[in-house]
Structure formats: structure tokens, C-alpha cells
């Protein structure tokens, strides 16, 4: 059974948890005409200020309206969904829109935005974004790709993160690499000088020359991180003209080939996908693996508190570091992957202009930094780098540079199912049941038979 909390009061607890008690000021005392905007947000303890900042923004917008002499004032009512994840939340919200009871504004994972666009439920925002550069003009240009469907922009990036290859510098030095080589790896990877196969070579040397058991570890279940490898080898999984899923056999085989070589060289364990998530982390953070493919949030949530890695920036980088996803060959383009959450506006909202201005204020640098530093997410604007709170959270500040090259999951609601098939291909390779070419063929055959409108090249 689905339960809902509706109203600003539903958000108060979340807001108070981050130290603010002013959210209910969103309701003006002397409003001549109150415009109530309903905001859909799933109950998410990892991001209470996603809705909280919209409520705060109403206070700012109402002051602006008062100064303009407008009779209108905005009130935000938060409608909380108990969905466990963003996929379930999006599916529920599509049903709600389908029966004509959708909200005015909603929060979603970016890859779902085109599902709402295809059904006509979401407002196209290009003209509004251009009209309000004071709100949207400095958002990192790369992040807008996460908000686009084939015919335009339908959402506003709310946050970001970064995925990378963490590495253990101490193990690399023990394997014989000098400090200059080890410390230069991030810049070499970012410039395209350090390629994917060199990561395997370095990992192989670590396994051969030290007591470390593993070279490269990655997540053991379906998720975004390993998609970075496929993107490095050229697969973006979406046709830019139509938005349909796109599978390119040669590019898939090339990416699977990297996993295949890693297993053959005994640097990626054959049982990686059978291991527990926490066990994989433990192997890396306790010095038994050279590389760990994951995301920046892992430092604040696990590495520092659980395994005692140095929280001081200088001390951390003495023995640890990260590189972006390397280019497939030397001289190619490196990759990183982020997974923004976005704000979107219903196509049938009665006050689209006010909804846009409201989300513009919710996207203010100071409010977004409140969210970023309390939840280990990257900010959306370069001016946040000048905020002392953001600078103090140095993993965020340092990882923000990866947004220049970041890629995204395709904005296609079927990608979650496709990703399950891709993960099965990785499992087949690492367990020795499939070659790289067979894994590519498997993905194409399975996707073509179970998903709709898949383009194969």
C-alpha cells in the first residue's frame, strides 16, 4: 500500500536535520493570491535538501514577487513517495500522471526524464532557461546533457557525483614505480596519455611484485560504474537523433575485451561479481588491491570513517589517489561518469513561469552547496568552488574537475533492463563462460528480443 505525506510539514523533519528551521516561511502571511505548487519527491535520507531547497526557494521567490508588486505568493506542498529507489519512484509517478493527478514539480533520476517527455507529462524548458541566466547561466555546461531529450531540455540538474579509478600509491611504489610516475597518473589519465590497458599492466605488476592479491576490483552487482568502461570504448547506448537504445557490436566487444584481458592477466578476479560489496571495499582500503572502480562518495561514507584513510588532503594523497576513466588508447579521450538527480516541471502546471523561477532559486549556489556538503554530492555551479564549505570538503572540490569530461547514462527508461543484460555479459566473461565477442553478441541478442526499439549496428 502506498502512503503519502503531503504538505510543507512533511519536509520539516528533513530540513531540521540539516540545521534549518525556517522552511515554513515559504507560506506568506499577507499573500493576496497564493499559488500552491505541489512537489513530488521520494523519501530519501541521502538527499533531504532536494525538496528542502525548493521550499526554501519559495521564501526567496516570494520576496522577489513582493518587490515586483506582484499579488502572487508561492506555497510549496511536498508530496513524498515511499519508493525505495528512483526507478520505482519514476514508475509510480508515471502512473500518477497517467490518471491526471501529477504534481506541478518533481524530482527524478535523469535517465527517466525522456519517459515523461514521451508521454507529454513534462514541460520543455529551453526558452525558460535562456530567459533566466541569473539562475541557470553558470550551471556546468556538461550537466545539461543529462537533462535533454532529442528535441530539447526538459529538466534542471540538481546535483552530480563523479566515478573514477581509486588507486593505492603505496602498492604501486612497492611494485617498483617511482613517486614521479605514481603522482603523475591523474594528469596523464586526464590528458589521454594513460590508456585503459596500461591500468591492467600496472595492476599486473602490483600483483606480481607485491603481496597484494588483486589488481582491479569493481562493483559486484548491476550499477553505473562499469558503464564508464563501455563509454571509454565508445558506447553511449543511445541514438542521439531518436533517443532509442543503441548497441554497436564492435564497441561492445572492445569494452568486454578489457574485462577479458583483466581476468586472463589475473588482475580482475574471476569471482568479482560473486563477492560482497563490503568485502571488495575492504580488500582495497586495507591494501590488498591496486585499483577500485567506484565513486567519490565512497571516501566520505566508507574510506574515512570505516577504514581510517586520512581525511587530511595532503596525507590522503601521499598514499592514495584517483584517476579518471582512462582513454581506450593513448591519445584518446578519458571518461568519467556522473548520475545527476534533476528537477522537472509538469507540462500542465498552471503557473509554469513561477515554477521555473522557483527552481531557479532552488538552484542557487549557496542552497546547492548546503546539499552538496551534507550528502557528498558535487555542486552544479563553478562558483560553489569558492564557498569555504565546499573547499573544505576537498574530495568534492577536487572531483569537480571531472565534470568537464563527464558522461551520463542514456536518458532512456529501458536502460536499467539493458544494464542488467550488460552486467550478465561481464559475469559471463569473468567466470570464463563467454569471450568478449560472445558477450557482445549475447547483449545484442538478449536486448533485441526483450527490449523495444533497440538499434543495432
Amino acid at each position: 500500500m502506498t502512503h503519502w505525506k503531503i504538505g510543507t510539514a512533511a519536509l520539516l523533519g528533513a530540513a531540521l536535520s540539516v540545521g534549518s528551521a525556517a522552511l515554513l516561511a515559504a507560506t506568506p502571511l499577507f499573500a493576496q493570491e497564493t499559488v500552491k505548487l505541489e512537489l513530488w519527491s521520494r523519501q530519501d535520507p541521502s538527499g533531504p535538501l532536494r525538496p528542502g531547497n525548493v521550499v526554501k526557494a519559495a521564501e526567496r521567490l516570494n520576496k522577489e514577487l513582493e518587490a515586483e508588486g506582484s499579488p502572487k505568493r508561492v506555497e510549496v506542498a511536498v508530496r513524498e513517495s515511499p519508493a525505495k529507489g528512483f526507478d520505482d519512484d519514476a514508475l509510480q509517478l508515471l502512473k500518477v500522471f497517467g490518471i491526471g493527478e501529477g504534481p506541478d514539480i518533481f524530482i527524478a533520476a535523469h535517465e527517466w526524464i525522456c519517459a515523461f517527455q514521451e508521454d507529454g507529462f513534462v514541460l520543455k524548458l529551453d526558452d525558460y532557461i535562456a530567459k533566466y541566466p541569473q539562475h541557470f547561466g553558470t550551471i556546468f555546461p556538461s550537466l545539461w546533457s543529462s537533462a535533454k531529450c532529442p528535441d530539447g531540455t526538459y529538466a534542471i540538474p540538481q546535483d552530480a557525483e563523479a566515478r573514477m579509478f581509486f588507486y593505492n600509491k603505496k602498492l604501486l611504489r612497492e611494485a617498483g614505480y617511482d613517486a614521479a610516475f605514481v603522482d603523475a597518473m591523474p594528469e596523464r589519465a586526464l590528458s589521454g596519455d594513460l590508456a585503459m590497458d596500461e591500468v591492467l599492466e600496472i595492476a599486473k605488476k602490483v600483483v606480481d611484485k607485491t603481496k597484494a592479491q588483486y589488481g582491479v576490483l569493481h562493483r559486484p552487482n548491476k550499477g553505473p560504474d562499469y558503464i564508464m568502461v563501455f563509454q571509454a570504448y565508445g558506447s553511449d547506448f543511445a541514438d542521439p537523433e531518436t533517443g532509442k537504445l543503441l548497441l554497436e557490436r564492435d564497441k561492445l566487444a572492445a569494452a568486454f575485451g578489457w574485462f577479458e584481458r583483466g581476468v586472463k592477466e589475473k588482475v580482475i578476479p574471476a569471482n568479482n561479481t560473486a563477492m560482497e560489496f563490503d568485502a571488495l571495499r575492504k580488500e582495497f582500503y586495507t591494501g590488498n588491491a591496486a585499483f577500485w572502480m567506484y565513486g567519490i562518495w565512497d571516501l566520505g561514507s566508507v574510506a574515512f570513517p570505516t577504514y581510517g584513510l586520512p581525511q587530511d588532503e595532503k596525507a590522503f594523497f601521499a598514499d592514495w589517489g584517483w584517476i579518471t576513466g582512462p582513454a581506450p588508447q593513448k591519445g584518446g579521450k578519458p571518461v568519467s561518469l556522473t548520475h545527476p538527480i534533476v528537477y522537472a516541471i509538469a507540462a500542465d502546471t498552471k503557473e509554469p513561469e513561477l515554477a521555473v523561477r522557483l527552481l531557479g532559486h532552488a538552484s542557487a549556489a549557496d542552497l546547492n552547496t548546503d546539499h552538496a556538503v551534507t550528502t557528498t554530492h558535487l555542486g552544479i555551479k563553478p562558483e560553489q568552488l569558492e564557498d569555504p564549505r565546499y573547499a573544505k570538503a576537498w574530495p568534492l572540490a577536487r572531483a569537480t574537475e571531472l565534470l568537464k569530461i563527464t558522461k551520463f547514462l542514456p536518458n532512456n527508461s529501458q536502460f536499467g533492463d539493458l544494464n542488467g543484460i550488460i552486467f550478465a555479459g561481464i559475469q559471463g566473461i569473468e567466470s570464463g563462460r563467454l569471450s568478449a565477442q560472445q558477450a557482445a553478441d549475447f547483449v545484442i541478442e538478449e536486448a533485441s528480443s526483450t527490449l523495444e526499439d533497440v538499434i543495432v549496428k
Side-chain angles (χ1 to χ4, degrees):
M1 182 176 178
T2 300
H3 300 276
W4 305 110
K5 290 181 178 179
I6 301 178
T8 48
L11 191 59
L12 185 58
L16 290 174
S17 69
V18 293
S20 172
L23 302 188
L24 291 184
T27 305
L29 294 175
F30 306 108
Q32 298 176 34
E33 178 185 345
T34 299
V35 176
K36 184 176 180 180
L37 295 175
E38 188 176 72
L39 167 66
W40 175 291
S41 172
R42 80 179 184 92
Q43 295 171 352
D44 182 6
S46 71
L49 288 182
R50 290 180 178 125
N53 282 346
V54 179
V55 178
K56 284 184 179 179
E59 184 179 358
R60 297 183 180 189
L61 176 57
N62 285 335
K63 289 181 180 177
E64 194 172 83
L65 291 170
E66 183 179 7
E68 294 170 1
S70 170
K72 294 183 178 180
R73 300 293 185 269
V74 169
E75 177 184 332
V76 177
V78 180
R79 184 175 179 180
E80 291 186 309
S81 152
K84 293 182 179 179
F86 280 106
D87 288 355
D88 290 341
D89 185 62
L91 290 169
Q92 180 68 46
L93 183 54
L94 284 166
K95 293 178 182 176
V96 171
F97 271 117
I99 59 174
E101 296 185 3
D104 298 283
I105 302 168
F106 60 96
I107 297 169
H110 77 90
E111 66 269 27
W112 282 93
I113 195 64
C114 295
F116 291 94
Q117 177 263 339
E118 289 166 5
D119 287 339
F121 296 148
V122 63
L123 184 70
K124 190 175 182 179
L125 296 175
D126 297 85
D127 291 342
Y128 293 106
I129 291 166
K131 185 176 179 179
Y132 295 106
Q134 69 272 36
H135 293 312
F136 308 116
T138 62
I139 290 177
F140 288 111
S142 62
L143 292 180
W144 286 111
S145 296
S146 70
K148 292 184 181 297
C149 298
D151 70 335
T153 306
Y154 285 85
I156 298 164
Q158 188 274 325
D159 67 10
E161 17 88 326
R163 289 173 168 81
M164 61 273 282
F165 287 67
F166 294 106
Y167 68 107
N168 184 322
K169 293 182 178 179
K170 188 180 294 185
L171 283 179
L172 269 61
R173 292 194 295 265
E174 289 177 11
Y177 293 103
D178 63 32
F181 177 91
V182 172
D183 291 337
M185 286 174 57
E187 186 57 38
R188 287 187 58 212
L190 198 57
S191 70
D193 184 61
L194 195 160
M196 288 291 292
D197 275 2
E198 190 175 349
V199 169
L200 297 180
E201 293 169 8
I202 294 169
K204 171 69 172 171
K205 191 170 180 178
V206 168
V207 172
D208 289 346
K209 300 289 186 181
T210 75
K211 293 182 180 179
Q213 186 177 358
Y214 305 110
V216 180
L217 298 175
H218 62 81
R219 70 160 49 230
N221 53 12
K222 185 183 83 170
D225 321 304
Y226 52 77
I227 294 299
M228 186 166 51
V229 176
F230 290 85
Q231 292 173 328
Y233 285 95
S235 288
D236 287 329
F237 297 108
D239 176 54
E241 299 297 325
T242 65
K244 295 179 180 178
L245 291 177
L246 172 63
L247 296 176
E248 297 172 274
R249 197 179 304 269
D250 291 347
K251 293 176 180 177
L252 284 173
F256 280 126
W258 183 82
F259 289 95
E260 185 178 46
R261 291 190 294 279
V263 174
K264 286 184 176 178
E265 292 296 329
K266 300 187 184 303
V267 298
I268 298 177
N271 65 339
N272 191 126
T273 60
M275 298 172 73
E276 295 292 333
F277 225 126
D278 288 343
L280 288 161
R281 286 183 169 116
K282 183 178 181 180
E283 298 293 356
F284 177 69
Y285 291 125
T286 59
N288 201 24
F291 293 93
W292 168 230
M293 187 196 311
Y294 203 48
I296 190 65
W297 62 90
D298 211 36
L299 295 183
S301 59
V302 175
F304 298 154
T306 304
Y307 293 103
L309 268 65
Q311 296 189 44
D312 175 76
E313 181 177 5
K314 185 176 180 180
F316 173 86
F317 283 110
D319 289 328
W320 303 87
W322 67 71
I323 60 173
T324 186
Q329 293 89 31
K330 189 181 287 283
K333 293 182 178 179
V335 298
S336 180
L337 176 67
T338 187
H339 183 235
I341 303 303
V342 297
Y343 290 131
I345 299 171
D348 63 353
T349 186
K350 294 180 180 178
E351 294 281 359
E353 192 85 20
L354 286 179
V356 169
R357 292 175 65 180
L358 178 70
L359 294 183
H361 283 289
S363 303
D366 63 329
L367 295 186
N368 196 268
T369 297
D370 290 344
H371 165 74
V373 301
T374 55
T375 61
T376 323
H377 285 89
L378 301 188
I380 59 171
K381 297 180 175 180
E383 53 263 43
Q384 291 176 249
L385 290 165
E386 299 173 7
D387 189 315
R389 298 171 299 156
Y390 199 82
K392 185 178 180 181
W394 58 264
L396 303 183
R398 293 285 290 263
T400 298
E401 70 172 353
L402 300 187
L403 293 182
K404 294 182 293 186
I405 61 164
T406 198
K407 289 180 174 289
F408 309 90
L409 302 179
N411 284 350
N412 186 302
S413 60
Q414 294 187 100
F415 183 73
D417 293 330
L418 173 60
N419 195 13
I421 299 171
I422 293 169
F423 181 71
I426 294 173
Q427 287 181 303
I429 288 175
E430 294 183 350
S431 63
R433 291 180 288 110
L434 297 174
S435 68
Q437 187 61 57
Q438 288 171 332
D441 294 342
F442 163 78
V443 168
I444 288 173
E445 182 177 343
E446 284 293 306
S448 298
S449 63
T450 61
L451 305 178
E452 297 179 355
D453 297 327
V454 178
I455 299 173
V456 177
K457 292 184 178 178

